[in-house]
Each structure stands twice: as structure tokens, then as C-alpha cells.
């Protein structure tokens, strides 16, 4: 079975440009999470969706960040305009919230974003 | 408050030694779940184990074992006869009603196994 798929794997862009990160969760999973990982802050939850609906976006750093989940098999995280401090590895994870609401999350390979 | 503490930032061991990674948590929930993840140098996060708060039995999976003790709010992870492939950053995480479906991750322990 395919795991969580993220694209691109690497992105290098210049300050001020728009960046779009993409995620395809594991088929059948109904929760999706976007994380950011940096040396300074570790793993931070940015936003998560349940059944395609954003539940908690309190981790989104500022209005430059937005996330959508138009259907159960696709989500995007957009940064506009990007800044050098956005450089990080961005992970997407999915899980199935069924009988137990605290299921393990399965992570994608991450997108390494560098903003020059 | 929900909190996960991994006090060991970095550990180095020689191959074939046993090593224990500590995880201490704080939670107000009576029902909660604890997790361990491995992040090898390639970068992906790999799920290792989930444990619920009602199950205090220790778990063993090959060279890996986990010791859950509610009395000390700890969920420690032991690798027996470590191998170079065990070199990675290991994260402990907590989830429960207070956190919704969110995970609270510790800061991770970087393990280096020296051949």
C-alpha cells in the first residue's frame, strides 16, 4: 500500500515567491496533519483536518500560510509570500479516526523548503 | 498541561550495547495514548508503537522493548544489542482528550550507534 505522498520533495525558492506543498494521505484515512520541523523549534503542528474540515489551525504562524483539503485524497499548504524564516522540512501525516480517536499518524517523506 | 520531556538530547553507544531512551509525560487526562517514532537520517518519521494508558504491560518487538509506568509517568524505550541502523532521532508523543487528535511531541533523542 502506498504511504503518505508529498510533493515536491525539495523546493528552493526566492523570498516573496508563492510556495505550494502537496499531500496525498493514505487511502481511507480521515484525518490529515501538516507539521513543520526546524532545529530551533522541533516538530510543530500547523493545522489538522478531520473529514476534510479544518479543526485547528492555531499553529499556522501567520496569514501568509494557508491550507486546504478539497477532498479526502488531497491537501495543499501554501505560503504566500515566502520568507527565509519559512525554511524548514514540512511533513504531512494522516491517520484514521475510527473506534479510537487517538490513532497513530503516518508521516510522508517531507518537503524540504529553502527560501533564499 | 500536556507535556512530553525527553531529557536525553544525544546518546552515543557502541554497537551491541543496550540503550534506553527516556520519555516522561504530563497530562490531565485519565485516558491517553503514548507513541514512539523513529526519524532516521533519511528524514522520514516512522511509527514504532502506540500504547494506551490502561495497558501497562511491557511490549517487546524483536530488539525493541517499551516500559510503561503510570506511577512515574514514563514510557521508556530500550534497544537491545544496538546496531548501526538504529542510529536515528527518536521521538516520544502524547495524545488524549485534552489535545483532541493532536500529538504533543517531545524534542527527540538523537541516538548514534558506533560500529
Amino acid at each position: 500500500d502506498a504511504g503518505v505522498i508529498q510533493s515536491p520533495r525539495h523546493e528552493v525558492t526566492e523570498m516573496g515567491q508563492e510556495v505550494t506543498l502537496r499531500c496525498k494521505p493514505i487511502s481511507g484515512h480521515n484525518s490529515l496533519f501538516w507539521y513543520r520541523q526546524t532545529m530551533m523549534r522541533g516538530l510543530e503542528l500547523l493545522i489538522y483536518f478531520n473529514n476534510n474540515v479544518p479543526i485547528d489551525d492555531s499553529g499556522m504562524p501567520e496569514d501568509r500560510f494557508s491550507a486546504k483539503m478539497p477532498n479526502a485524497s488531497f491537501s495543499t499548504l501554501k505560503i504566500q509570500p515566502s520568507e527565509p524564516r519559512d525554511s524548514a522540512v514540512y511533513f504531512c501525516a494522516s491517520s484514521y479516526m475510527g473506534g479510537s480517536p487517538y490513532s497513530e499518524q503516518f508521516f510522508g517523506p517531507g518537503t524540504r523548503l529553502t527560501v533564499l | 498541561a500536556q507535556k512530553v520531556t525527553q531529557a536525553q538530547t544525544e546518546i552515543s553507544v557502541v554497537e551491541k550495547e543496550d540503550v534506553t531512551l527516556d520519555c516522561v509525560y504530563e497530562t490531565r487526562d485519565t485516558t491517553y495514548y503514548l507513541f514512539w517514532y523513529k526519524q532516521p537520517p533519511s528524514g522520514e518519521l516512522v511509527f514504532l508503537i502506540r500504547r494506551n494508558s490502561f495497558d501497562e504491560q511491557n511490549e517487546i518487538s524483536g530488539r525493541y522493548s517499551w516500559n510503561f509506568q503510570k506511577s512515574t509517568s514514563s514510557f521508556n524505550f530500550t534497544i537491545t544489542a544496538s546496531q548501526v541502523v538504529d542510529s536515528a532521532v527518536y521521538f516520544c508523543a502524547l495524545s488524549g482528550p485534552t489535545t483532541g487528535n493532536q500529538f504533543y511531541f517531545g524534542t527527540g533523542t538523537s541516538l548514534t550507534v558506533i560500529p
Side-chain angles (χ1 to χ4, degrees), chain A residues 33-47 59-61 85 88-91 107, chain B residues 102-103 105:
Chain A
F33 307 80
W34 282 102
Y35 289 88
R36 178 171 68 176
Q37 186 178 37
T38 61
M39 289 294 293
M40 291 296 293
R41 291 200 173 99
L43 267 167
E44 302 174 273
L45 177 66
L46 301 177
I47 185 171
M60 296 285 261
R85 59 191 167 125
V89 179
Y90 290 81
F91 287 101
F107 284 74
Chain B
Q102 299 182 40
F103 280 19
F105 280 92

Side-chain angles (χ1 to χ4, degrees), chain B residues 7-76:
Chain B
Q8 304 152 307
T9 306
E10 295 181 1
I11 300 176
S12 291
V13 298
V14 176
E15 199 171 23
K16 297 184 183 176
E17 287 183 347
D18 299 347
V19 58
T20 295
L21 310 182
D22 297 333
C23 173
V24 175
Y25 61 92
E26 294 176 32
T27 179
R28 294 178 298 203
D29 295 327
T30 52
T31 299
Y32 51 89
Y33 284 79
L34 295 159
F35 304 80
W36 276 95
Y37 282 82
K38 174 182 179 179
Q39 187 174 36
S42 53
E44 74 276 20
L45 278 140
V46 178
F47 165 72
L48 295 178
I49 190 171
R50 179 182 80 151
R51 171 67 65 194
N52 77 57
S53 54
F54 292 106
D55 183 0
E56 288 195 68
Q57 280 197 340
N58 290 336
E59 175 106 4
I60 298 175
S61 176
R63 296 183 298 106
Y64 294 173
S65 62
W66 290 269
N67 183 357
F68 176 33
Q69 293 198 344
K70 282 179 85 169
S71 60
T72 55
S73 297
S74 65
F75 186 42
N76 296 336

Side-chain angles (χ1 to χ4, degrees), chain A residues 55-100:
Chain A
I55 303 300
D56 187 345
D57 65 355
S58 59
M60 296 285 261
E62 43 199 279
D63 291 346
R64 297 184 297 105
F65 285 69
S66 63
K68 293 182 180 179
M69 192 165 186
N71 57 61
S73 58
F74 184 66
S75 176
T76 59
L77 177 68
K78 187 176 291 187
I79 308 173
Q80 166 64 16
S82 58
E83 295 183 3
R85 59 191 167 125
D86 301 330
S87 297
V89 179
Y90 290 81
F91 287 101
C92 175
S94 71
S95 70
Y96 174 67
M97 268 184 60
S100 167

